[in-house]
Amino acid sequence: MTEKEGVRLQKVLAEAGIGSRRYCEELIGEGRVTVDGKKVFRFGERVDPQSAVIHVDGKRVQTRAEMRYYAINKPRGVVSTMADERGRKCLADYVDVPERLFHVGRLDTDTEGLILLTNDGELSHRLTHPSYGVPKTYLAEIHGPIPRDLGRRLKAGVTLDDGPAKADRFRVFDQVGKRVLVEITLHEGRKHIVRRLLKEVGFPVQQLARIEFGPIRLGVLKPGTMRALTVHEIGELYKAVGL
């Protein structure tokens, strides 16, 4: 790359949403920016936004303008695909952007909650690959009363028909009469794993929603709506899978 090739680093960072050019210059001057693994201190450094791997404070910054990252709250009864040959409602019915997006993993048709959408193939692959162990948190409604040692049993693990499974975290979120909401976190994504796990210990799930996928939270996002992820959230996703 010659001196006249590429784009000034501070401009690339500003256009990626990190902050103003002046702020980005301060980040560079403080040694908080790396390009392809090397710290950069020179404001005039030029990079190729399409190929450079840039980190700020250790978090990856996506500089490819065509990349898109969204969170969607999948309603109950909607299939987790971008098209359905049987004509059922699917994710595409709620997506209002022109880019072709892929869903990161799936949720059961009867399960609502957080699904990530992106056209970043490498990130999507890592987020769903078992070796990266990205945690996912669910809110499940079950019927109580529940024993005090239920969390311990789930974290110790139970044996399902396709092998052992266990929860990473478990807590009672709310309880009204016999209606109990529990929060359960797992780092695997076998089919119906939360429902099967709770059923195995004697508490079939009545309703289920995913509220977190790695560092991304569902928050107040309403069913059937989507939002773009922030620069910070995208960086956290990259960090979660070692990119």
Side-chain angles (χ1 to χ4, degrees):
M1 182 182 295
T2 67
E3 182 64 20
K4 292 185 179 181
E5 290 179 323
V7 182
R8 290 184 183 276
L9 179 57
Q10 60 266 41
K11 180 180 180 182
V12 171
L13 292 174
E15 291 181 347
I18 298 301
S20 67
R21 289 198 194 185
R22 179 65 181 274
Y23 175 67
C24 293
E25 288 176 352
E26 292 177 0
L27 294 176
I28 295 169
E30 293 169 2
R32 296 164 63 184
V33 181
T34 65
V35 177
D36 297 332
K38 297 181 180 179
K39 282 188 179 182
V40 177
F41 295 92
R42 190 165 67 95
F43 299 151
E45 183 79 11
R46 291 179 179 271
V47 300
D48 181 354
Q50 292 296 111
S51 61
V53 178
I54 302 174
H55 288 77
V56 175
D57 292 335
K59 293 179 183 177
R60 175 82 173 268
V61 178
Q62 180 51 260
T63 58
R64 294 172 59 188
E66 73 274 16
M67 289 294 126
R68 297 289 182 268
Y69 307 84
Y70 297 96
I72 187 169
N73 186 347
K74 184 191 85 68
R76 189 176 182 182
V78 173
V79 293
S80 298
T81 61
M82 297 304 289
D84 184 66
E85 59 185 18
R86 294 164 55 184
R88 295 173 297 179
K89 271 196 171 294
C90 63
L91 296 175
D93 293 313
Y94 301 90
V95 174
D96 57 358
V97 296
E99 294 85 6
R100 185 186 181 194
L101 302 174
F102 304 94
H103 52 89
V104 182
R106 294 173 180 257
L107 287 175
D108 304 337
T109 303
D110 289 334
T111 299
E112 62 183 87
L114 180 62
I115 286 184
L116 303 181
L117 302 171
T118 185
N119 54 3
D120 188 331
E122 175 64 13
L123 179 63
S124 177
H125 169 73
R126 292 198 180 202
L127 286 171
T128 54
H129 198 282
S131 64
Y132 293 97
V134 177
K136 304 168 190 69
T137 300
Y138 300 80
L139 202 59
E141 179 185 331
I142 59 178
H143 287 168
I146 60 174
R148 295 182 63 181
D149 69 341
L150 181 60
R152 179 185 60 77
R153 290 168 59 194
L154 290 169
K155 288 185 283 187
V158 299
T159 301
L160 303 177
D161 56 6
D162 58 352
K166 65 178 182 178
D168 297 327
R169 296 192 299 273
F170 176 88
R171 73 182 181 102
V172 175
F173 183 82
D174 191 24
Q175 183 168 0
V176 179
K178 291 186 176 182
R179 177 180 177 269
V180 184
L181 287 178
V182 297
E183 190 177 277
I184 182 169
T185 301
L186 306 92
H187 64 270
E188 63 166 297
R190 274 182 284 169
K191 192 173 183 179
H192 306 302
I193 187 65
V194 176
R195 294 179 184 275
R196 293 163 56 207
L197 184 59
L198 287 169
K199 183 178 180 180
E200 183 65 26
V201 294
F203 295 93
V205 171
Q206 307 303 311
Q207 293 190 61
L208 185 65
R210 182 159 68 196
I211 58 174
E212 294 180 12
F213 191 125
I216 310 303
R217 296 182 178 181
L218 182 64
V220 296
L221 194 63
K222 295 180 180 179
T225 60
M226 59 185 289
R227 67 173 179 83
L229 299 187
T230 66
V231 172
H232 173 75
E233 288 175 320
I234 296 168
E236 289 290 336
L237 282 174
Y238 274 111
K239 183 179 179 181
V241 294
L243 285 173

